[in-house]
């Protein structure tokens, strides 16, 4: 090949630029990392598989707050590949509906154009989004039983599409728990019964809020009646089958939930069965009640103990403490000053001759004092629901474990109640369902993100499936110079805890020695100190990280309530 002459080289350098042959891009692709962005209501759609069907009971209160204060917590958004509109990622459909109403009413730009955090559509996008909405709705407003049941049924469909086969109830419960929404197999069984047998007949009652216990009683009644029907109808030709009879009878009572009476349903059902089977009503009723009682005994669950004190708005209602003296803390459990507070809410009167106060001598302790002291141990409210607490108690009962009781123990040992995606009522205790590496990493990453949000740098926390669950991403040089001292200190602390190689992250960990004291106890001024809630989340992050590392090293204690 002949060598290029200077003239040939000059001609090539002066030649026209390359021409584009392919089509020009009309839109930008979505970011591949969490990215703050501003979107309009026209660009945003609610999540179409949101399990909530009825309006949020707190709708008007939330609307009043947004009208006065604006959107304090904009929802996270995402977008399915190839779709035009963004959707709510996990929890926020109520806020979106309120923003649309306020924009229609006021035409104020602050309700039309909102700042959101965009998160890329994950590989298991539909499952992640649905379980996220289920968990968020439980924490923020609670779902009716049938809404929860339909959400779990939709999740089953997504799981079966993912694996290409059918799922058992036990496997469905395991997968839901692994994805952050624990549901017992027995609850899934009731949910499927409600969808199959009850929803076609009484949708108004179910969507109106018929509770789990009433659904369970209806399910028990249906099974008991079906069993008796099969026994008595054997060898006979009847004009109707039991499934049709049950649907016809139940549909007569599809009124408002307040007017629904299980006893009336049973009376009507037994009456029509007696007529069709040519049996005595009282005899048939006794047989059904006997079968129903046996079935209820076999499927019953422990009932939670009634609370001992008025409900405190900022703290969840938990079981009352056992009628004993204050419980000594377990070894390795951090405790505060022990405060004896008998569960009967009484204080001893002057001693009698026997050295003990009698029941007649007991002087009631004002409920206000108990409430005031309990409130003094709460850093920030932990949003929860009675249904979710009941679910957690039942899971603990099945595993032979005992959940910490905030109202019973707050005045003895537990110093805080902290809100967030994963509220903390005990820094040390680790639930059995959480005590696996994958779930520990999810919680650790969430706490790191919430701590970073205090300094408005939550977008620099990236969840990962190795290490302790997260890494910190260094901001660009120009952005790093604009960070406050507090933001830099928080990011550096979290980066050091993540145990990522220092040269790879770009954070100057040598400054951490100077920043640590101001962060933890404000020796450098209040502007540098973590909030009380942030400090508790930091303690919880450390506790979970220690447990995670112990599990992966094989040195974990058999009891997650103790450190190894």
């Amino acid at each position: 090949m002949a060598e290029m002459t200077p003239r040939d080289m000059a001609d090539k350098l002066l030649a026209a630029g390359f021409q584009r042959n392919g089509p020009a891009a009309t839109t930008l692709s979505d970011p591949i990392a969490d990215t703050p962005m501003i979107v309009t209501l026209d660009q945003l759609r609610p999540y179409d598989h949101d399990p909530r069907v009825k309006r949020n009971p707190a709708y008007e209160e939330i609307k009043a707050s947004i009208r006065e204060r604006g959107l304090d917590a904009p929802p996270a958004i995402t977008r399915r590949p190839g779709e035009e509109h963004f959707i709510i990622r996990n929890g926020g459909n109520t806020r979106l509906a309120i923003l649309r109403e306020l924009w229609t009413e006021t035409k104020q730009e602050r309700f039309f154009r909102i700042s959101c955090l965009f998160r890329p559509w994950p590989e298991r996008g539909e499952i992640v989004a649905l379980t996220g909405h289920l968990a968020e709705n439980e924490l923020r407003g609670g779902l009716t039983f049938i809404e929860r049941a339909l959400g779990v049924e939709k999740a089953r469909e997504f799981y079966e599409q993912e694996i290409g086969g059918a799922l058992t109830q036990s496997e469905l419960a395991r997968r839901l728990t692994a994805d952050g929404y624990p549901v017992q197999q027995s609850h899934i069984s009731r949910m499927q019964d409600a969808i199959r047998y009850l929803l076609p007949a009484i949708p108004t009652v179910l969507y109106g809020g018929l509770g789990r216990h009433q659904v369970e009683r209806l399910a028990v009644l249906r099974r008991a009646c079906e069993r008796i029907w099969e026994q008595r109808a054997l060898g006979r030709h009847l004009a109707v089958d039991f499934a049709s009879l049950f649907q016809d009878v139940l549909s007569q009572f599809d009124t408002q939930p307040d007017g629904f009476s299980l006893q009336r349903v049973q009376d009507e059902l037994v009456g029509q069965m007696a007529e069709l089977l040519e049996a005595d009503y009282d005899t048939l009723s006794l047989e059904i009640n006997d079968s129903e009682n046996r079935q209820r005994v076999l499927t019953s669950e422990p009932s939670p103990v009634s609370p001992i004190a008025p409900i405190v708005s900022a703290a969840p209602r938990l079981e009352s403490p056992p009628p004993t003296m204050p419980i000594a803390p377990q070894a390795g459990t951090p405790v505060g000053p022990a405060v004896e507070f008998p569960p009967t809410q009484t204080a001893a009167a002057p001693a009698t001759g026997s050295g003990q106060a009698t029941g007649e001598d007991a002087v009631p302790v004002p409920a206000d004092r108990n409430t005031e002291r309990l409130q003094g141990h709460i850093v920030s409210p932990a949003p929860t629901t009675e249904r979710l607490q009941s679910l957690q108690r039942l899971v603990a009962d099945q595993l032979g474990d005992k959940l910490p009781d905030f109202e019973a123990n707050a005045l003895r040992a537990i110093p805080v109640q902290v809100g967030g995606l994963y509220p903390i009522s005990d820094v040390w205790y680790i639930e059995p369902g959480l005590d696996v590496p994958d779930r520990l990493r999810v919680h650790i990453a969430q706490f790191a993100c919430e701590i970073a949000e205090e300094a408005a740098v939550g977008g620099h926390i990236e969840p990962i499936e190795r290490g302790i669950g997260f890494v910190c991403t260094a901001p660009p040089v120009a952005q790093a110079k604009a960070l406050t001292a507090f933001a830099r200190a928080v990011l550096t602390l979290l980066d050091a805890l993540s145990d990522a190689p220092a040269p790879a992250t770009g954070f100057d960990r040598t400054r951490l020695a100077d920043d640590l004291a101001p962060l933890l106890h404000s020796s450098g001024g209040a502007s540098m100190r973590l909030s009380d809630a942030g400090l508790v989340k930091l303690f919880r992050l450390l506790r979970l990280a220690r447990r995670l590392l112990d599990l992966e090293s094989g040195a974990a204690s058999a009891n997650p309530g103790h450190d190894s």
Side-chain angles (χ1 to χ4, degrees):
M1 180 177 178
E3 293 185 2
M4 291 183 64
T5 65
R7 180 65 183 173
D8 294 335
M9 187 176 296
D11 290 341
K12 287 184 175 293
L13 291 173
L14 295 174
F18 292 105
Q19 301 296 319
R20 181 186 296 275
N21 296 323
T26 57
T27 59
L28 296 176
S29 60
D30 289 334
I32 61 173
D34 291 2
T35 305
M37 60 172 57
I38 296 176
V39 296
T40 65
L41 295 182
D42 293 339
Q43 298 173 288
L44 195 53
R45 295 288 183 270
Y47 177 60
D48 44 355
H49 298 303
D50 185 14
R52 187 187 294 281
V53 178
K54 299 286 286 185
R55 194 161 90 160
N56 191 323
Y59 189 93
E60 293 302 329
E61 290 84 351
I62 298 172
K63 182 177 179 180
S65 174
I66 293 177
R67 184 193 297 273
E68 295 299 324
R69 298 164 48 86
L71 202 59
D72 287 338
I77 62 173
T78 187
R79 179 156 55 185
R80 294 185 180 97
E83 291 200 354
E84 178 182 357
H85 295 96
F86 298 99
I87 59 172
I88 302 296
R89 187 175 187 272
N90 57 336
N93 281 358
T94 296
R95 283 170 284 171
L96 178 58
I98 289 171
L99 287 172
R100 292 189 187 283
E101 277 193 15
L102 291 173
W103 164 246
T104 302
E105 294 170 6
T106 67
K107 296 301 180 182
Q108 294 183 20
E109 187 73 10
R110 64 192 181 109
F111 299 132
F112 180 73
R113 197 176 304 275
I114 57 176
S115 299
C116 295
L117 177 65
F118 175 85
R119 290 186 169 176
W121 185 256
E123 182 180 354
R124 303 171 67 240
E126 296 294 353
I127 293 173
V128 171
L130 179 56
T131 53
H133 277 271
L134 281 166
E136 187 73 11
N137 277 312
E138 285 286 3
L139 289 173
R140 292 189 178 274
L143 299 169
T144 62
F145 180 86
I146 195 61
E147 287 174 332
R148 190 184 304 109
L150 290 170
V152 169
E153 181 65 14
K154 177 59 70 173
R156 181 188 62 78
E157 294 178 15
F158 288 149
Y159 284 126
E160 290 182 347
Q161 291 173 10
E162 183 180 46
I163 66 173
L167 275 182
T168 64
Q169 292 178 358
S170 299
E171 179 64 13
L172 175 57
R174 188 192 68 77
R175 288 176 178 267
L176 285 168
T177 299
D179 284 321
Y181 187 69
V183 183
Q184 285 186 333
Q185 182 271 329
S186 59
H187 288 188
I188 293 176
S189 177
R190 295 188 192 99
M191 289 173 176
Q192 293 182 349
D193 282 350
I195 294 172
R196 180 178 178 183
Y197 300 113
L198 306 184
L199 184 57
I202 51 171
T204 304
V205 171
L206 287 171
Y207 284 122
L210 193 69
R212 178 175 66 86
H213 295 295
Q214 291 172 292
V215 169
E216 178 184 354
R217 291 179 61 192
L218 263 177
V220 170
L221 173 63
R222 186 196 64 81
R223 286 193 289 268
C225 290
E226 185 178 33
R227 188 177 296 109
I228 299 302
W229 176 277
E230 290 173 351
Q231 292 171 0
R232 287 180 168 267
L234 190 63
R236 303 176 61 177
H237 297 285
L238 300 174
V240 65
D241 60 2
F242 178 78
S244 300
L245 174 65
F246 182 77
Q247 292 288 313
D248 291 342
V249 170
L250 191 59
S251 61
Q252 301 174 30
F253 299 92
D254 190 27
T255 58
Q256 293 302 315
D258 293 343
F260 184 79
S261 170
L262 183 63
Q263 186 59 50
R264 291 178 58 200
V265 173
Q266 181 170 339
D267 289 343
E268 181 66 22
L269 182 59
V270 173
Q272 294 202 27
M273 286 177 62
E275 182 178 347
L276 291 168
L277 295 171
E278 299 177 350
D280 178 69
Y281 176 92
D282 293 331
T283 303
L284 198 60
S285 183
L286 286 173
E287 291 180 10
I288 291 172
N289 286 336
D290 183 57
S291 177
E292 187 178 353
N293 290 336
R294 286 200 304 269
Q295 184 179 342
R296 187 177 292 115
V297 169
L298 291 174
T299 60
S300 63
E301 298 169 344
S303 300
V305 183
S306 300
I308 60 168
I311 303 301
V312 182
S313 60
R317 188 176 83 178
L318 299 174
E319 297 174 7
S320 61
T324 59
M325 295 300 289
I327 302 171
Q330 296 178 342
T333 304
V335 298
V339 180
E340 296 186 2
F341 205 87
T344 54
Q345 300 292 323
T346 62
T352 63
S354 63
Q356 294 179 347
T358 65
E360 291 79 2
D361 294 329
V363 179
V365 173
D368 297 357
R369 187 184 308 168
N370 184 32
T371 302
E372 180 180 351
R373 297 171 74 184
L374 185 62
Q375 290 281 13
H377 286 69
I378 297 172
V379 171
S380 63
T384 185
T385 67
E386 186 176 350
R387 292 189 183 96
L388 184 58
Q389 293 169 39
S390 177
L391 178 64
Q392 292 169 338
R393 283 196 296 270
L394 292 173
V395 171
D397 289 341
Q398 290 292 326
L399 297 174
D401 205 359
K402 183 173 178 60
L403 288 174
D405 186 336
F406 183 82
E407 289 189 4
N409 299 327
L411 301 179
R412 301 174 188 147
I414 303 174
V416 292
Q417 181 80 9
V418 180
L421 183 57
Y422 303 118
I424 304 167
S425 60
D426 190 335
V427 172
W428 200 251
Y429 177 79
I430 298 176
E431 300 84 355
L434 173 59
D435 197 33
V436 292
D438 289 345
R439 291 208 65 202
L440 288 170
R441 285 191 177 93
V442 171
H443 281 239
I444 290 169
Q446 179 62 31
F447 287 133
C449 185
E450 290 179 9
I451 293 168
E453 285 291 351
E454 288 198 10
V457 288
H460 296 290
I461 304 299
E462 179 182 346
I464 59 173
E465 297 179 358
R466 61 183 185 278
I468 68 167
F470 74 92
V471 293
C472 297
T473 58
V477 176
Q479 185 179 349
K481 291 181 179 179
L483 290 178
T484 64
F486 177 56
R488 282 198 303 270
V490 169
L491 276 178
T492 305
L493 172 62
L494 293 173
D495 177 63
L497 293 176
S498 72
D499 204 25
T505 62
F507 292 98
D508 183 8
R509 295 183 183 175
T510 59
R511 299 188 54 177
L512 187 57
D514 296 328
D515 292 336
L516 197 57
L519 275 176
L520 299 183
H521 59 64
S522 189
S523 64
S527 62
M528 278 290 289
R529 185 170 70 176
L530 278 173
S531 69
D532 291 343
L535 186 63
V536 174
K537 290 172 183 176
L538 177 62
F539 291 157
R540 182 63 169 171
L541 184 156
L542 293 172
R543 166 63 173 140
L544 298 184
R546 288 161 60 97
R547 179 65 179 175
L548 169 63
L549 296 175
D550 285 347
L551 285 173
E552 296 203 324
S553 68
S557 166
N559 183 356
H562 300 307
D563 204 356
S564 56

